[in-house]
Amino acid sequence: MYGASGKRWALTERGRGALTRDETHLRIGPSAIAWDGKSLVFEIAEIGMPIPYRVRGTVRVTPECAPAAPFLLDAAGGHRWHPFGPRARVSVEMKNPDLSWQGSGYLDGNSGDVPLERSFIDWDWSRADMGPEAAVLYDVNRRDGTSLSIAAKFASDGTATAFAPPPRVKLATTGWRVSRATRSDAASSARVVDTLEDTPFYARSVVSARWNGHDVTAMHESLSLDRFDSRWVQTLLPFRMPRLSG
């Protein structure tokens, strides 16, 4: 969570004993997700890292379009990107920190059969509202030397339509020297508005650009799997991602 009062981060890996689920509920440790028929409701009760602090509250995600079919990110089909709710209304009511807001958002996920670092070198991903539709750009460099570029718009019924991706544009590297790039009709219209996460292998940013004649403000991420797989980064991960057995 990002705001004027600072950043709140929580990502705890938990063991099998911490998991319960059924068709409409998923609980992992003290936090849970439930589908109430129209919205996904996240009940969050976590401890932030690396400095311990409470992160508690409720996030409600109401999709404005139906889920789209998953996209295969590698030739073997071992990695998939799932646009569950490419466009959604999001309502946030937090107790710790004390804040609330409503706005436009999205819900997606990745799944795979092997670790990401075995299949990919890096990727850039970004998502924005583009008129009444949601649009996503996904550029992937694979270990086998091939690449993938996804440029898709999502209608209210979940239908994904490809559009011509604008040219690639380099963005400023992060403080950890992670490379960032996006796509834009003109290089001059692409810039980093804010850097939300700056880590040794991953950056989350807000960028502005122009996609097929539309001025957009996009959520953007850059991921370096070479960095992630390095020994020194693996040594740092437990300080941000604690692992609990139960």
Side-chain angles (χ1 to χ4, degrees):
M1 302 189 70
Y2 314 97
S5 61
K7 181 169 66 175
R8 298 291 187 274
W9 166 274
L11 180 56
T12 302
E13 294 185 336
R14 300 183 185 274
R16 186 183 301 271
L19 170 67
T20 59
R21 65 177 181 174
D22 58 29
E23 290 183 349
T24 58
H25 296 79
L26 171 67
R27 177 171 292 277
I28 302 175
S31 298
I33 309 171
W35 175 252
D36 67 4
K38 65 176 183 178
S39 303
L40 271 178
V41 182
F42 296 77
E43 297 292 345
I44 300 167
E46 298 292 337
I47 300 296
M49 293 295 289
I51 300 173
Y53 45 76
R54 291 187 180 277
V55 180
R56 297 188 303 158
T58 302
V59 176
R60 182 179 296 272
V61 179
T62 305
E64 293 184 326
C65 65
F71 289 73
L72 302 182
L73 299 182
D74 65 327
H79 293 276
R80 299 160 294 277
W81 171 60
H82 303 261
F84 299 120
R87 187 179 179 115
R89 295 298 300 173
V90 179
S91 172
V92 178
E93 296 288 341
M94 299 297 296
K95 297 178 180 177
N96 299 103
D98 182 16
L99 60 84
S100 63
W101 60 267
Q102 296 183 6
S104 177
Y106 66 94
L107 180 70
D108 70 351
N110 288 76
S111 63
D113 303 321
V114 298
L116 288 171
E117 62 271 22
R118 292 188 191 176
S119 301
F120 306 109
I121 298 172
D122 55 30
W123 74 44
D124 288 296
W125 174 96
S126 52
R127 178 267 176 205
D129 289 336
M130 197 163 77
E133 300 174 307
V136 170
L137 299 176
Y138 215 141
D139 287 283
V140 176
N141 290 313
R142 301 166 173 154
R143 290 284 173 202
D144 63 6
T146 63
S147 60
L148 171 70
S149 180
I150 297 171
K153 297 184 293 184
F154 298 90
S156 59
D157 64 356
T159 301
T161 303
F163 66 94
R168 290 275 287 175
V169 178
K170 287 187 176 181
L171 298 170
T173 57
T174 70
W176 281 100
R177 311 306 297 169
V178 171
S179 297
R180 289 184 285 193
T182 188
R183 290 182 177 273
S184 187
D185 295 352
S188 59
S189 62
R191 66 183 181 91
V192 176
V193 177
D194 196 7
T195 301
L196 304 176
E197 288 291 337
D198 184 357
T199 80
F201 67 93
Y202 173 82
R204 179 180 297 148
S205 314
V206 179
V207 304
S208 64
R210 190 167 179 84
W211 296 352
N212 285 16
H214 295 266
D215 291 321
V216 300
T217 299
M219 185 63 71
H220 178 280
E221 70 175 19
S222 292
L223 174 65
S224 170
L225 278 312
D226 282 348
R227 281 279 194 91
F228 174 79
D229 199 35
S230 64
R231 181 172 297 180
W232 67 276
V233 170
Q234 290 294 313
T235 301
L236 294 174
L237 288 178
F239 295 98
R240 293 294 301 275
M241 299 167 58
R243 178 171 293 176
L244 303 179
S245 60

